[in-house]
Every structure is written in structure tokens, then in C-alpha cells.
């Protein structure tokens, strides 16, 4: 979201909350329903280009995989790395899950990502902060990844238990991503997301 979009969004949000009590009530009702979006921290990241995604058939799970360290990377840090070191439009993942379970938005949810070569046009990329060839995902990260994937599957009408819907990056590319310690938990994540 650029600055002008943000100001427009902020104005609309403020206006909506000031003028329509019913709007607030329906937001609360939605929060209580199964279809509620989990809390997502939306950063104001600036992208150099934007291409809308026309279909969503697959969710690809990643780790950040920074070498020799299992650290709590931020969306902003990865955004800068992907822009400055790789020359991309910005962070390639749509979501990043921090060690404390906080979900940060990366690339706009409806944009084509840059996370799984030849599969970006029809997939969502979720990165779990850390290097899971070295460390283990935290309990908070596991809960957030399960909740987020469950919500995305409802949003895009995907069956998390169907083969090829929730995959690890290594299933489609020559990489160890998302690390052995997260990859071995994918079947657990699929089951929990389906609940
Ligand atoms: Zn990956």
C-alpha cells in the first residue's frame, strides 16, 4: 500500500467507524465467526511493481533459511533483502510468521508472489521465521501457521488434506526449504488446518 492508498484507507476506516455503528457491530460479529481473518500485522512496505494473482490453488510453506542462524527475521528485513540483494519488487512471501506467533503481511495477499519458481501465479507463500535445518519452529509459530492456513483454505475454498494443496517449497524446487524440522510437521499442519 503506498502513502496515498494508506491515507485513503485510513480516512475510509475512520469515516466508517465514526458514522456506522452497525459497521462496528458487524465487524465484531465477523470476528466471532469461523471465517474471521486471524490478526495480521500489516506493514507499509513499498513495492516497485504489482501484478494481481488470478487463481489460488496452493499454499507453499517456507522458512527464511538465513545461513547458520535460526533467527527471528522480520518482514521488513526480508523485504529489504529481496529488493536490494535480489532486485525483486519486494518481499516475495505473502505472510511471515515471527517466533512469537505474530503474523506479518508481506506482499499483498492478492498479488503474484516470488517464492516458488514456476508456481507463483497460483499460490500463496508463507514464510516461518527461522532456519529449520538448525532450529525447531516455536509452539506459537505452529499455532499461527495452522490458523492462517485454515483461514486461507476457507477463503480460497481449498481442501488442506488434498494432495498438493499445502506443500513445502522443496516439493516443487531443488531446495531444503522449509528445513527438515518444519517439513516433517506439514502433515500435522494440514490436519490442524482442516479442523
Ligand atoms: Zn522457500
Amino acid at each position: 500500500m503506498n502513502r496515498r492508498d494508506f491515507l485513503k484507507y485510513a480516512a475510509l476506516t475512520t469515516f466508517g467507524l465514526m458514522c456506522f455503528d452497525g459497521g462496528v457491530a458487524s465487524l465484531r460479529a465477523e470476528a466471532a465467526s469461523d471465517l474471521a481473518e486471524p490478526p495480521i500485522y500489516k506493514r507499509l512496505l513499498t513495492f516497485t511493481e504489482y501484478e494481481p494473482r488470478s487463481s489460488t490453488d496452493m499454499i507453499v510453506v517456507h522458512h527464511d533459511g538465513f545461513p547458520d542462524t535460526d533467527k527471528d527475521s522480520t518482514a521488513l528485513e526480508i523485504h529489504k533483502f529481496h529488493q536490494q540483494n535480489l532486485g525483486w519488487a519486494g518481499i516475495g512471501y505473502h505472510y511471515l510468521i515471527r517466533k512469537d506467533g505474530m503474523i506479518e503481511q508481506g506482499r499483498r495477499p492478492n498479488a503474484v508472489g516470488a517464492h516458488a519458481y514456476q508456481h507463483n501465479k497460483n499460490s500463496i507463500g508463507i514464510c516461518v521465521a527461522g532456519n529449520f535445518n538448525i532450529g525447531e519452529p516455536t509452539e506459537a509459530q505452529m499455532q499461527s501457521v495452522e490458523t492462517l492456513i485454515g483461514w486461507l483454505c476457507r477463503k480460497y475454498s481449498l481442501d488442506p488434506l488434498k494432495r498438493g494443496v499445502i506443500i513445502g517449497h522443496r516439493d516443487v524446487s531443488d531446495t531444503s526449504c522449509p528445513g527438515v524440522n518444519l517439513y516433517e510437521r506439514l502433515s500435522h499442519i494440514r490436519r490442524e488446518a482442516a479442523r
Side-chain angles (χ1 to χ4, degrees):
M1 189 182 287
N2 61 30
R3 185 175 153 74
R4 192 200 283 159
D5 283 347
F6 173 72
L7 291 173
K8 201 159 71 180
Y9 173 79
L12 285 172
T13 307
T14 308
F15 182 75
L17 292 179
M18 282 172 61
C19 297
F20 304 111
D21 286 337
V24 177
S26 65
L27 281 176
R28 287 202 190 104
E30 190 185 323
S33 83
D34 279 350
L35 288 170
E37 179 176 337
I40 295 172
Y41 185 76
K42 296 183 173 86
R43 287 190 172 275
L44 296 176
L45 305 175
T46 307
F47 293 83
T48 56
E49 55 192 272
Y50 173 76
E51 185 189 347
R53 194 179 62 254
S54 54
S55 65
T56 307
D57 310 325
M58 189 190 284
I59 296 171
V60 186
V61 177
H62 304 261
H63 67 167
D64 64 52
F66 282 110
D68 305 321
T69 174
D70 175 31
K71 67 193 184 76
D72 189 22
S73 305
T74 68
L76 181 61
E77 187 180 354
I78 296 175
H79 182 70
K80 284 181 177 169
F81 182 79
H82 284 177
Q83 262 184 350
Q84 293 164 10
N85 297 57
L86 304 180
W88 296 356
I91 185 170
Y93 312 112
H94 299 92
Y95 301 98
L96 175 77
I97 300 181
R98 304 284 301 279
K99 298 267 186 216
D100 66 359
M102 178 165 72
I103 303 169
E104 291 190 86
Q105 186 175 298
R107 201 164 281 223
R108 288 184 198 177
N110 66 337
V112 172
H115 59 95
Y117 182 61
Q118 293 188 326
H119 297 276
N120 288 312
K121 292 206 185 273
N122 63 328
S123 71
I124 288 196
I126 299 176
C127 180
V128 185
N131 182 330
F132 303 117
N133 288 319
I134 300 172
E136 298 278 348
T138 66
E139 267 313 301
Q141 282 180 311
M142 288 297 293
Q143 285 198 356
S144 289
V145 79
E146 290 157 12
T147 304
L148 177 62
I149 288 178
W151 174 70
L152 288 169
C153 284
R154 285 194 296 269
K155 180 175 175 180
Y156 293 104
S157 302
L158 304 175
D159 176 0
L161 298 175
K162 192 173 153 197
R163 190 177 172 82
V165 169
I166 313 295
I167 64 164
H169 189 187
R170 68 164 66 174
D171 291 326
V172 290
S173 296
D174 183 17
T175 171
S176 69
C177 180
V180 61
N181 296 330
L182 180 54
Y183 189 76
E184 68 185 13
R185 297 178 191 225
L186 281 183
S187 47
H188 175 77
I189 290 170
R190 290 185 192 104
R191 284 196 304 275
E192 288 299 311
R195 288 205 306 145

